[in-house]
Amino acid sequence: MPLELFLDLYSQPCRSVYIFAKINKIPFEFRKVDLAAGEQYGEEFGKISVLRKVPVMRDGDFILTESVAILQYMVQMFSTPDHWYPADVQKQARVNEYFSWQHTAIRSHASKVFWFRCMVPILTGAEVPKEKMDSALEDLSSTLNIFEKKFLRDQHFIIGDRISLADLVAITEMMQPVGAGLDVFKDRPRLSAWRDRVKQELGVAAFHEAHEVIMNAASLPQTIENKGMLEFLKPRLQKLFN
Amino acid sequence: MPLEIYLDLLSQPCRSVYIFAKKNNIPFEFKKILLFKGEQYSEEFGKVNYFRKVPAIKDGDFTLSESIAILTYLAEKYGTPDHWYPADLQTRARVHEYLSWQHSGMRGIAGKILWLRLMIPKAFEIDVPKERMDSLLVDLEGSLTAFEEKFLQDKPFIAGQKISLADLVAIVEIMQPVGAGVNVFEVRPKLSAWKDRVRAEIGSALFDEAHQMIFNTEEVAKTLDPSMKEIIKLRIKKSFL
């Protein structure tokens, strides 16, 4: 039985798992969890994962959450090309270092900006106060500066000449605010050049396919409303993103 | 040249690295970085870790930050006993799953309690609004419940029958609030039993030695450098309040 991947491509970590599986031709069944319809809060999904988040992987009886853990699992199980997660101890440590840092850095700040721009207005009926928005944008900008200065430097990819899981996780997070209409790559030639290299390595078609949904994020609030889920999701989403 | 490990044991991720290295008899030079004295801002330390955070290691020319990366690096390089970072695909995945979740699920919450309860009012003389503290304590309950229900369940340790890096990373974070007098184990027998098992596996002497500082925060607060006080105050206002 092939792997089952429980995904919604609005979610950054779902996109990294999806792209990785596709480009490595890992056989899997795509199980959509419609976040806009609140499916993550349903009884059925609750049996899959009590944490009620995506992505989730199911391999027979074995259920695994956390995209980084899922990516590492797929690498080991399918013996994907070494450059994704090198066997060399020091190179692998560099990928792990990025994985660790990004949770409370790029992931956190990029998600927040997306949230503020895309979701808060519909959940609260008002725009995010300018001060708060400026602060979030400043945090995102600082974290991108760190990314360029400390992780990317003059290299082609985060750990050197070859693309790795670190670049995949990074790009999917950075695309989130782009989906909300903020081009984080603008005025950042080094970052843009890295993005283009990553897209090439992943395959432009695969990249665009995975990002189609988020690039239409402007319609997400309306989608939630159309599904009649606004009142249900409001308190739950506010709690998650406070 | 020996491995250098840069640490301040007030910090949870420093404790997991310290305990792991000591428990496995990994030879290293303990490079003390006193955060409250601003030693992380020295030019020398900047060359070791761009982020000016601890823990950090220097292994010959190779420098590395982030405790999770350091722990797995040490496990691989020194060939520590399998149970710490199991080779088995699914057991290892359980360790990875916890190490990933805990950044925001546990560390982000438990780590703030000692600050908000003790450090901020006492050492920095900033009032912490009651709602903020109450809200954080509610979040802590959520984290601990998720820990027990999802990660521990009915197993002796997170990955199964044996202690792993996941338990080590978990225990140092869960101990942090205890330093502020928030006894998280009191009403949670399952958590308490797990803690006792982990402490026994690590060795009570090493465990207690590593955790000494969090029970002496008043003393630590006295070492606060005046210049550091202002820097940290700004950060407190931004991140904690």
Side-chain angles (χ1 to χ4, degrees), chain B residues 22-105:
Chain B
K22 294 282 308 205
K23 177 72 185 165
N24 287 286
N25 297 311
I26 292 171
F28 71 95
E29 245 181 77
F30 187 129
K31 298 288 229 181
K32 197 183 271 191
I33 295 283
L34 291 174
L35 298 173
F36 274 22
K37 287 207 162 300
E39 288 175 0
Q40 67 276 39
Y41 295 112
S42 76
E43 203 181 308
E44 198 200 319
F45 186 65
K47 293 177 191 158
V48 174
N49 186 10
Y50 175 92
F51 296 108
R52 298 181 176 285
K53 288 187 180 177
V54 282
I57 63 168
K58 189 165 185 293
D59 191 5
D61 288 329
F62 181 69
T63 57
L64 186 65
S65 66
E66 296 293 323
S67 65
I68 305 299
I70 293 169
L71 288 166
T72 51
Y73 174 79
L74 294 177
E76 301 276 33
K77 181 175 173 178
Y78 293 91
T80 51
D82 181 76
H83 65 82
W84 285 114
Y85 194 44
D88 175 71
L89 174 69
Q90 292 188 355
T91 325
R92 179 170 284 205
R94 283 283 165 253
V95 176
H96 284 154
E97 185 185 44
Y98 184 75
L99 294 181
S100 180
W101 175 83
Q102 63 89 32
H103 286 281
S104 45

Coordinates of all heavy atoms in Angstrom, one line a residue, chain B residues 22-105:
Chain B
K22 N 28.3 14.9 28.4 CA 28.8 14.3 29.6 C 28.4 12.8 29.7 O 29.2 12.0 30.1 CB 28.3 15.0 30.8 CG 28.8 16.4 31.0 CD 30.1 16.7 31.5 CE 30.7 16.2 32.7 NZ 31.7 17.0 33.3
K23 N 27.1 12.5 29.5 CA 26.6 11.2 29.7 C 27.4 10.2 28.7 O 27.6 9.0 29.1 CB 25.1 11.2 29.3 CG 24.4 9.8 29.4 CD 24.3 9.3 30.8 CE 23.7 7.9 30.8 NZ 23.9 7.2 32.1
N24 N 27.7 10.7 27.6 CA 28.4 9.8 26.6 C 29.9 9.9 26.6 O 30.6 9.4 25.7 CB 27.8 10.1 25.2 CG 26.4 9.5 25.0 OD1 26.2 8.3 24.9 ND2 25.4 10.4 25.1
N25 N 30.4 10.6 27.6 CA 31.9 10.8 27.8 C 32.5 11.3 26.5 O 33.6 10.9 26.1 CB 32.5 9.4 28.1 CG 32.0 8.9 29.5 OD1 32.0 9.6 30.5 ND2 31.6 7.7 29.5
I26 N 31.8 12.3 25.9 CA 32.4 12.9 24.7 C 33.4 14.0 25.2 O 33.0 14.8 26.0 CB 31.3 13.6 23.9 CG1 30.4 12.5 23.2 CG2 31.9 14.5 22.8 CD1 29.1 13.0 22.6
P27 N 34.7 13.9 24.8 CA 35.6 14.8 25.3 C 35.4 16.2 24.7 O 35.3 16.4 23.5 CB 37.0 14.3 24.8 CG 36.7 13.3 23.8 CD 35.2 13.0 23.8
F28 N 35.3 17.2 25.6 CA 35.1 18.6 25.1 C 35.6 19.6 26.1 O 35.7 19.3 27.3 CB 33.6 18.8 24.8 CG 32.7 18.9 26.0 CD1 32.4 20.2 26.6 CD2 32.1 17.8 26.6 CE1 31.5 20.3 27.7 CE2 31.3 17.9 27.8 CZ 31.0 19.1 28.3
E29 N 35.8 20.8 25.6 CA 36.2 21.9 26.4 C 34.9 22.7 26.7 O 34.2 23.2 25.7 CB 37.1 22.8 25.7 CG 38.5 22.9 26.3 CD 39.4 23.8 25.5 OE1 39.3 25.0 25.6 OE2 40.3 23.3 24.7
F30 N 34.6 22.9 27.9 CA 33.4 23.7 28.3 C 33.7 25.2 28.2 O 34.5 25.7 29.0 CB 33.0 23.3 29.7 CG 31.7 23.9 30.2 CD1 30.7 23.1 30.8 CD2 31.4 25.3 30.1 CE1 29.5 23.6 31.3 CE2 30.2 25.8 30.6 CZ 29.2 24.9 31.2
K31 N 33.1 25.9 27.2 CA 33.4 27.3 27.1 C 32.2 28.0 27.6 O 31.1 28.1 27.0 CB 33.6 27.7 25.6 CG 34.8 27.0 24.9 CD 36.1 27.5 25.4 CE 37.0 27.8 24.2 NZ 38.3 28.3 24.7
K32 N 32.4 28.6 28.8 CA 31.3 29.3 29.5 C 31.0 30.6 28.8 O 31.9 31.4 28.6 CB 31.6 29.4 31.0 CG 30.3 29.7 31.8 CD 30.6 30.0 33.2 CE 30.7 28.7 34.1 NZ 30.7 29.0 35.5
I33 N 29.7 30.8 28.5 CA 29.3 32.1 27.9 C 28.2 32.6 28.9 O 27.1 32.0 28.9 CB 28.7 31.9 26.5 CG1 29.8 31.5 25.5 CG2 28.0 33.2 26.1 CD1 30.7 32.6 25.1
L34 N 28.5 33.6 29.7 CA 27.5 34.1 30.6 C 26.6 35.1 29.9 O 27.0 36.3 29.6 CB 28.2 34.7 31.8 CG 28.9 33.7 32.7 CD1 29.7 34.4 33.8 CD2 27.9 32.7 33.3
L35 N 25.4 34.7 29.6 CA 24.5 35.5 28.8 C 24.2 36.9 29.6 O 24.1 37.9 28.9 CB 23.2 34.8 28.6 CG 23.3 33.5 27.7 CD1 22.0 32.8 27.7 CD2 23.8 33.8 26.3
F36 N 24.0 36.8 30.9 CA 23.7 38.0 31.6 C 24.8 39.0 31.7 O 24.7 40.1 32.1 CB 23.2 37.6 33.0 CG 21.7 37.3 33.0 CD1 21.0 37.0 31.8 CD2 20.9 37.4 34.2 CE1 19.7 36.7 31.8 CE2 19.6 37.2 34.2 CZ 19.0 36.8 33.0
K37 N 26.0 38.5 31.3 CA 27.1 39.4 31.3 C 27.4 39.9 29.9 O 28.4 40.7 29.7 CB 28.4 38.8 31.9 CG 28.3 38.6 33.4 CD 29.7 38.5 34.0 CE 29.7 38.8 35.5 NZ 29.2 40.1 35.8
G38 N 26.6 39.4 29.0 CA 26.8 39.9 27.6 C 27.9 39.2 26.9 O 28.4 39.7 25.8
E39 N 28.4 38.1 27.4 CA 29.6 37.5 26.8 C 29.3 37.0 25.4 O 30.3 36.7 24.6 CB 30.1 36.4 27.7 CG 30.8 37.0 28.9 CD 31.3 35.9 29.9 OE1 31.1 34.7 29.7 OE2 31.8 36.3 31.0
Q40 N 28.0 36.8 25.0 CA 27.7 36.3 23.7 C 28.0 37.4 22.6 O 28.0 37.1 21.4 CB 26.2 35.9 23.6 CG 25.2 37.0 23.8 CD 24.9 37.3 25.2 OE1 25.8 37.3 26.1 NE2 23.6 37.5 25.5
Y41 N 28.2 38.6 23.1 CA 28.5 39.7 22.2 C 30.0 39.9 21.9 O 30.4 40.9 21.2 CB 27.8 41.0 22.6 CG 26.3 40.9 22.6 CD1 25.6 40.9 23.8 CD2 25.6 40.7 21.4 CE1 24.2 40.7 23.8 CE2 24.3 40.6 21.4 CZ 23.6 40.6 22.6 OH 22.2 40.4 22.6
S42 N 30.8 39.1 22.4 CA 32.3 39.3 22.2 C 32.6 39.0 20.7 O 31.9 38.2 20.1 CB 33.1 38.3 23.1 OG 33.0 37.0 22.6
E43 N 33.7 39.6 20.3 CA 34.1 39.4 18.9 C 34.4 38.0 18.6 O 34.1 37.4 17.6 CB 35.3 40.3 18.6 CG 35.5 40.6 17.1 CD 36.7 41.4 16.9 OE1 36.9 42.5 17.5 OE2 37.6 41.0 16.0
E44 N 35.1 37.4 19.6 CA 35.5 36.0 19.5 C 34.3 35.0 19.4 O 34.3 34.2 18.5 CB 36.3 35.6 20.8 CG 37.1 34.3 20.6 CD 37.5 33.7 22.0 OE1 37.8 34.6 22.9 OE2 37.5 32.5 22.1
F45 N 33.3 35.3 20.2 CA 32.1 34.4 20.1 C 31.4 34.6 18.8 O 30.8 33.7 18.2 CB 31.2 34.5 21.3 CG 30.1 33.5 21.3 CD1 30.4 32.2 21.4 CD2 28.8 33.9 21.1 CE1 29.3 31.2 21.4 CE2 27.7 33.0 21.1 CZ 28.0 31.6 21.2
G46 N 31.4 35.8 18.3 CA 30.8 36.1 17.0 C 31.3 35.3 15.9 O 30.6 34.9 14.9
K47 N 32.6 34.9 16.0 CA 33.2 34.0 14.9 C 32.7 32.6 15.1 O 32.7 31.8 14.1 CB 34.7 34.0 15.0 CG 35.3 35.4 14.7 CD 36.8 35.4 14.8 CE 37.3 36.9 14.7 NZ 38.6 37.0 15.4
V48 N 32.3 32.2 16.3 CA 31.8 30.8 16.5 C 30.3 30.7 16.1 O 29.9 29.8 15.4 CB 32.0 30.5 18.0 CG1 31.3 29.1 18.3 CG2 33.4 30.4 18.4
N49 N 29.5 31.7 16.5 CA 28.1 31.7 16.2 C 27.6 33.1 15.8 O 27.5 34.0 16.6 CB 27.3 31.1 17.3 CG 25.8 31.0 16.9 OD1 25.5 31.1 15.7 ND2 24.9 30.7 17.9
Y50 N 27.3 33.2 14.5 CA 26.8 34.4 13.9 C 25.6 34.9 14.7 O 25.4 36.1 14.9 CB 26.4 34.1 12.5 CG 25.7 35.3 11.7 CD1 26.4 36.2 11.0 CD2 24.3 35.4 11.8 CE1 25.8 37.2 10.3 CE2 23.7 36.4 11.1 CZ 24.4 37.3 10.4 OH 23.8 38.4 9.7
F51 N 24.7 34.0 15.2 CA 23.5 34.4 15.9 C 23.7 34.8 17.3 O 22.8 35.3 18.0 CB 22.5 33.2 15.9 CG 22.1 32.8 14.5 CD1 22.5 31.6 14.0 CD2 21.2 33.6 13.8 CE1 22.1 31.3 12.7 CE2 20.8 33.3 12.5 CZ 21.3 32.1 12.0
R52 N 25.0 34.6 17.8 CA 25.3 35.0 19.2 C 24.4 34.4 20.2 O 23.9 35.0 21.1 CB 25.3 36.5 19.3 CG 26.4 37.1 18.4 CD 26.6 38.6 18.5 NE 27.7 39.1 17.7 CZ 29.0 39.0 18.0 NH1 29.3 38.4 19.1 NH2 29.9 39.5 17.2
K53 N 24.1 33.1 19.9 CA 23.3 32.4 20.9 C 24.0 31.1 21.3 O 25.0 30.7 20.7 CB 22.0 32.0 20.2 CG 21.0 33.2 20.0 CD 19.7 32.7 19.5 CE 18.8 33.9 19.3 NZ 17.5 33.6 18.7
V54 N 23.5 30.6 22.4 CA 24.1 29.3 22.9 C 22.9 28.3 22.9 O 21.8 28.6 23.0 CB 24.7 29.5 24.3 CG1 26.0 30.1 24.2 CG2 23.8 30.2 25.2
P55 N 23.3 27.0 22.7 CA 24.6 26.4 22.6 C 25.2 26.6 21.2 O 24.5 26.9 20.2 CB 24.4 25.0 22.9 CG 23.0 24.7 22.4 CD 22.2 26.0 22.7
A56 N 26.5 26.5 21.1 CA 27.2 26.5 19.8 C 28.4 25.6 20.0 O 28.9 25.4 21.1 CB 27.7 27.9 19.4
I57 N 28.9 25.0 18.9 CA 30.1 24.2 19.0 C 31.1 24.6 18.0 O 30.8 25.2 16.9 CB 29.9 22.7 18.9 CG1 29.3 22.3 17.5 CG2 29.0 22.1 20.0 CD1 29.3 20.8 17.2
K58 N 32.4 24.3 18.3 CA 33.5 24.5 17.3 C 34.3 23.2 17.3 O 34.9 22.8 18.4 CB 34.3 25.7 17.8 CG 35.4 26.1 16.7 CD 35.9 27.5 17.1 CE 36.8 28.1 16.0 NZ 38.1 27.3 15.9
D59 N 34.3 22.6 16.2 CA 34.9 21.3 16.1 C 36.0 21.4 15.0 O 35.7 21.3 13.8 CB 33.9 20.2 15.7 CG 34.5 18.8 15.8 OD1 35.7 18.7 16.2 OD2 33.8 17.8 15.4
G60 N 37.2 21.8 15.4 CA 38.2 22.2 14.4 C 37.8 23.5 13.7 O 37.5 24.5 14.4
D61 N 37.6 23.4 12.4 CA 37.1 24.6 11.7 C 35.6 24.7 11.6 O 35.1 25.7 11.1 CB 37.7 24.6 10.2 CG 39.2 24.9 10.2 OD1 39.6 25.6 11.0 OD2 39.8 24.4 9.3
F62 N 35.0 23.6 12.0 CA 33.5 23.5 11.8 C 32.8 24.1 13.0 O 33.0 23.6 14.1 CB 33.2 22.0 11.6 CG 31.7 21.7 11.4 CD1 31.1 22.1 10.2 CD2 31.0 21.1 12.3 CE1 29.7 21.9 10.0 CE2 29.6 20.8 12.1 CZ 29.0 21.2 10.9
T63 N 32.0 25.1 12.7 CA 31.1 25.6 13.8 C 29.7 25.3 13.5 O 29.3 25.2 12.3 CB 31.3 27.2 13.8 OG1 30.9 27.7 12.6 CG2 32.7 27.6 14.2
L64 N 28.9 25.2 14.6 CA 27.5 24.8 14.4 C 26.7 25.4 15.5 O 27.1 25.4 16.7 CB 27.4 23.3 14.4 CG 26.0 22.6 14.1 CD1 25.6 22.9 12.7 CD2 26.1 21.1 14.4
S65 N 25.5 25.9 15.1 CA 24.5 26.4 16.1 C 23.3 25.5 16.1 O 23.2 24.6 15.3 CB 24.1 27.8 15.8 OG 23.4 27.9 14.6
E66 N 22.3 25.8 17.0 CA 21.1 25.0 17.1 C 21.3 23.7 17.8 O 21.9 22.7 17.2 CB 20.4 24.8 15.7 CG 20.0 26.1 15.0 CD 18.8 26.8 15.8 OE1 17.9 26.1 16.3 OE2 18.8 28.0 15.8
S67 N 20.7 23.6 19.0 CA 21.0 22.4 19.8 C 20.6 21.1 19.1 O 21.2 20.1 19.2 CB 20.3 22.5 21.2 OG 18.8 22.5 21.0
I68 N 19.5 21.1 18.4 CA 19.0 19.9 17.7 C 20.0 19.4 16.7 O 20.3 18.2 16.6 CB 17.6 20.2 17.0 CG1 16.6 20.7 17.9 CG2 17.1 18.9 16.3 CD1 16.2 19.8 19.1
A69 N 20.6 20.4 15.9 CA 21.6 20.0 15.0 C 22.9 19.5 15.7 O 23.5 18.6 15.2 CB 21.9 21.2 14.1
I70 N 23.2 20.2 16.8 CA 24.4 19.8 17.5 C 24.2 18.4 18.1 O 25.2 17.5 18.0 CB 24.7 20.8 18.7 CG1 25.1 22.2 18.1 CG2 25.8 20.3 19.6 CD1 25.1 23.3 19.1
L71 N 23.1 18.1 18.7 CA 22.9 16.8 19.3 C 23.0 15.7 18.3 O 23.6 14.7 18.5 CB 21.5 16.7 20.0 CG 21.4 17.5 21.3 CD1 19.9 17.7 21.7 CD2 22.1 16.9 22.4
T72 N 22.3 15.8 17.1 CA 22.4 14.7 16.1 C 23.8 14.6 15.5 O 24.3 13.5 15.2 CB 21.3 14.9 15.0 OG1 21.4 16.3 14.5 CG2 19.9 14.7 15.6
Y73 N 24.5 15.8 15.4 CA 25.9 15.8 14.9 C 26.8 15.0 15.9 O 27.5 14.1 15.5 CB 26.4 17.2 14.8 CG 27.9 17.3 14.5 CD1 28.3 17.2 13.1 CD2 28.8 17.6 15.4 CE1 29.6 17.3 12.8 CE2 30.2 17.7 15.1 CZ 30.6 17.6 13.8 OH 31.9 17.7 13.5
L74 N 26.6 15.2 17.2 CA 27.4 14.5 18.2 C 27.1 13.0 18.2 O 28.0 12.2 18.3 CB 27.2 15.1 19.6 CG 27.7 16.6 19.8 CD1 27.4 17.0 21.2 CD2 29.2 16.7 19.5
A75 N 25.8 12.7 18.1 CA 25.4 11.3 18.1 C 26.0 10.6 16.9 O 26.5 9.5 17.1 CB 23.9 11.2 18.0
E76 N 26.0 11.2 15.7 CA 26.5 10.6 14.5 C 28.0 10.5 14.6 O 28.6 9.4 14.3 CB 26.1 11.3 13.3 CG 24.6 11.5 13.0 CD 24.0 10.3 12.3 OE1 24.5 9.1 12.5 OE2 23.0 10.5 11.6
K77 N 28.7 11.6 15.0 CA 30.1 11.6 14.9 C 30.7 10.7 16.0 O 31.7 10.0 15.7 CB 30.6 13.0 15.2 CG 32.1 13.1 15.1 CD 32.7 14.5 15.2 CE 34.3 14.3 15.3 NZ 35.0 15.6 15.4
Y78 N 30.2 10.6 17.1 CA 30.8 9.8 18.2 C 30.2 8.5 18.3 O 30.5 7.7 19.3 CB 30.7 10.6 19.5 CG 31.6 11.8 19.5 CD1 31.2 13.1 19.1 CD2 33.0 11.7 19.8 CE1 32.0 14.2 19.0 CE2 33.8 12.8 19.7 CZ 33.3 14.0 19.3 OH 34.2 15.1 19.3
G79 N 29.2 8.1 17.4 CA 28.7 6.8 17.5 C 28.1 6.4 18.8 O 28.4 5.3 19.4
T80 N 27.3 7.3 19.4 CA 26.7 7.0 20.7 C 25.7 5.8 20.6 O 25.2 5.5 19.5 CB 26.0 8.3 21.2 OG1 25.1 8.8 20.2 CG2 27.0 9.4 21.5
P81 N 25.4 5.2 21.7 CA 24.5 4.1 21.7 C 23.2 4.4 20.9 O 22.6 5.4 21.0 CB 24.1 3.9 23.2 CG 25.3 4.4 23.9 CD 25.9 5.5 23.1
D82 N 22.8 3.3 20.2 CA 21.7 3.5 19.2 C 20.4 4.1 19.7 O 19.8 4.9 19.0 CB 21.3 2.1 18.6 CG 20.2 2.2 17.6 OD1 20.5 2.6 16.4 OD2 19.1 1.8 17.9
H83 N 20.1 3.9 21.0 CA 18.8 4.3 21.5 C 18.7 5.9 21.5 O 17.6 6.4 21.5 CB 18.5 3.8 22.9 CG 19.5 4.3 24.0 ND1 19.3 5.5 24.6 CD2 20.6 3.7 24.5 CE1 20.3 5.6 25.5 NE2 21.1 4.6 25.4
W84 N 19.8 6.6 21.6 CA 19.7 8.0 21.6 C 19.2 8.6 20.3 O 18.4 9.5 20.3 CB 21.1 8.6 21.8 CG 21.6 8.5 23.2 CD1 22.6 7.8 23.7 CD2 21.0 9.1 24.4 NE1 22.7 7.9 25.1 CE2 21.8 8.7 25.5 CE3 19.9 10.0 24.6 CZ2 21.5 9.2 26.8 CZ3 19.6 10.4 25.9 CH2 20.4 10.0 27.0
Y85 N 19.6 8.0 19.2 CA 19.2 8.4 17.8 C 19.1 7.2 17.0 O 20.0 6.9 16.2 CB 20.2 9.4 17.3 CG 19.8 10.2 16.1 CD1 18.5 10.8 16.0 CD2 20.6 10.4 15.0 CE1 18.1 11.5 15.0 CE2 20.2 11.2 13.9 CZ 18.9 11.7 13.9 OH 18.5 12.5 12.8
P86 N 18.0 6.4 17.1 CA 17.9 5.1 16.6 C 18.0 5.0 15.1 O 17.5 5.9 14.4 CB 16.5 4.6 17.0 CG 16.1 5.5 18.1 CD 16.8 6.8 17.9
A87 N 18.7 4.0 14.6 CA 18.8 3.8 13.2 C 17.5 3.3 12.5 O 17.3 3.6 11.4 CB 19.9 2.8 12.9
D88 N 16.7 2.7 13.3 CA 15.4 2.2 12.8 C 14.5 3.3 12.3 O 14.3 4.3 12.9 CB 14.6 1.4 13.9 CG 13.3 1.0 13.4 OD1 13.2 0.1 12.6 OD2 12.3 1.6 13.9
L89 N 14.0 3.1 11.0 CA 13.3 4.2 10.3 C 12.2 4.8 11.1 O 12.1 6.0 11.3 CB 12.7 3.6 9.0 CG 11.8 4.5 8.2 CD1 12.6 5.6 7.5 CD2 11.2 3.6 7.1
Q90 N 11.3 3.9 11.7 CA 10.1 4.5 12.4 C 10.4 5.0 13.8 O 9.9 6.0 14.2 CB 9.0 3.4 12.4 CG 8.5 3.2 11.0 CD 7.2 2.3 10.9 OE1 6.8 1.8 11.9 NE2 6.7 2.1 9.7
T91 N 11.3 4.4 14.4 CA 11.7 4.9 15.8 C 12.4 6.2 15.6 O 12.1 7.2 16.4 CB 12.7 3.9 16.5 OG1 12.3 2.6 16.1 CG2 12.6 4.0 18.0
R92 N 13.3 6.4 14.6 CA 14.0 7.6 14.4 C 12.9 8.7 14.0 O 13.1 9.8 14.5 CB 15.0 7.5 13.3 CG 15.7 8.8 13.0 CD 16.9 8.6 12.1 NE 18.0 8.0 12.8 CZ 19.3 8.1 12.5 NH1 19.6 8.8 11.4 NH2 20.3 7.6 13.2
A93 N 11.9 8.3 13.3 CA 10.9 9.3 12.8 C 10.2 9.8 14.1 O 9.9 11.0 14.1 CB 9.9 8.6 11.9
R94 N 10.0 9.0 15.1 CA 9.3 9.5 16.3 C 10.2 10.5 17.0 O 9.7 11.5 17.5 CB 9.0 8.3 17.3 CG 7.9 7.5 16.9 CD 6.5 8.1 17.2 NE 5.5 7.4 16.6 CZ 4.8 7.9 15.5 NH1 5.0 9.1 15.0 NH2 3.8 7.2 15.0
V95 N 11.5 10.3 17.0 CA 12.4 11.3 17.6 C 12.4 12.6 16.8 O 12.2 13.7 17.3 CB 13.9 10.7 17.6 CG1 14.8 11.8 18.1 CG2 13.9 9.5 18.5
H96 N 12.4 12.5 15.4 CA 12.4 13.7 14.6 C 11.1 14.4 14.8 O 11.1 15.7 14.8 CB 12.5 13.3 13.1 CG 13.9 12.9 12.7 ND1 14.1 12.0 11.6 CD2 15.1 13.3 13.1 CE1 15.4 11.9 11.4 NE2 16.0 12.6 12.3
E97 N 10.0 13.7 14.9 CA 8.7 14.3 15.0 C 8.7 15.2 16.3 O 8.2 16.4 16.2 CB 7.6 13.2 15.1 CG 6.2 13.7 15.1 CD 5.2 12.5 15.3 OE1 5.5 11.7 16.2 OE2 4.2 12.5 14.6
Y98 N 9.2 14.7 17.4 CA 9.2 15.5 18.6 C 10.1 16.7 18.5 O 9.8 17.8 18.9 CB 9.5 14.6 19.9 CG 9.4 15.5 21.1 CD1 8.1 15.9 21.6 CD2 10.5 16.2 21.7 CE1 8.0 16.8 22.6 CE2 10.4 17.1 22.7 CZ 9.1 17.4 23.2 OH 9.0 18.3 24.2
L99 N 11.3 16.4 18.0 CA 12.3 17.5 17.9 C 11.8 18.6 17.0 O 12.2 19.8 17.3 CB 13.6 16.9 17.3 CG 14.4 15.9 18.2 CD1 15.7 15.5 17.5 CD2 14.7 16.5 19.6
S100 N 10.9 18.3 16.1 CA 10.4 19.4 15.2 C 9.3 20.1 15.9 O 9.2 21.3 16.0 CB 9.9 18.7 13.9 OG 9.3 19.7 13.1
W101 N 8.3 19.4 16.5 CA 7.1 20.0 17.1 C 7.5 20.9 18.3 O 6.9 21.9 18.5 CB 6.2 18.8 17.6 CG 5.0 19.3 18.4 CD1 3.8 19.8 17.9 CD2 4.9 19.4 19.8 NE1 3.0 20.1 18.9 CE2 3.6 19.9 20.1 CE3 5.8 19.1 20.9 CZ2 3.2 20.1 21.4 CZ3 5.3 19.3 22.2 CH2 4.0 19.8 22.4
Q102 N 8.5 20.4 19.0 CA 8.8 21.1 20.3 C 9.2 22.6 20.2 O 9.1 23.3 21.1 CB 9.9 20.3 21.1 CG 11.2 20.2 20.4 CD 12.1 21.3 20.8 OE1 12.1 21.8 21.9 NE2 13.0 21.7 19.9
H103 N 9.8 23.0 19.0 CA 10.2 24.4 18.9 C 9.1 25.3 19.3 O 9.3 26.2 20.1 CB 10.6 24.7 17.4 CG 11.9 24.1 17.0 ND1 13.1 24.6 17.4 CD2 12.2 23.0 16.3 CE1 14.1 23.9 16.9 NE2 13.6 22.9 16.2
S104 N 7.9 25.2 18.6 CA 6.9 26.1 19.0 C 5.9 25.4 20.0 O 5.3 26.1 20.8 CB 6.1 26.5 17.7 OG 5.9 25.4 16.9
G105 N 5.8 24.1 20.0 CA 4.9 23.4 20.8 C 5.2 23.4 22.3 O 4.4 23.4 23.2

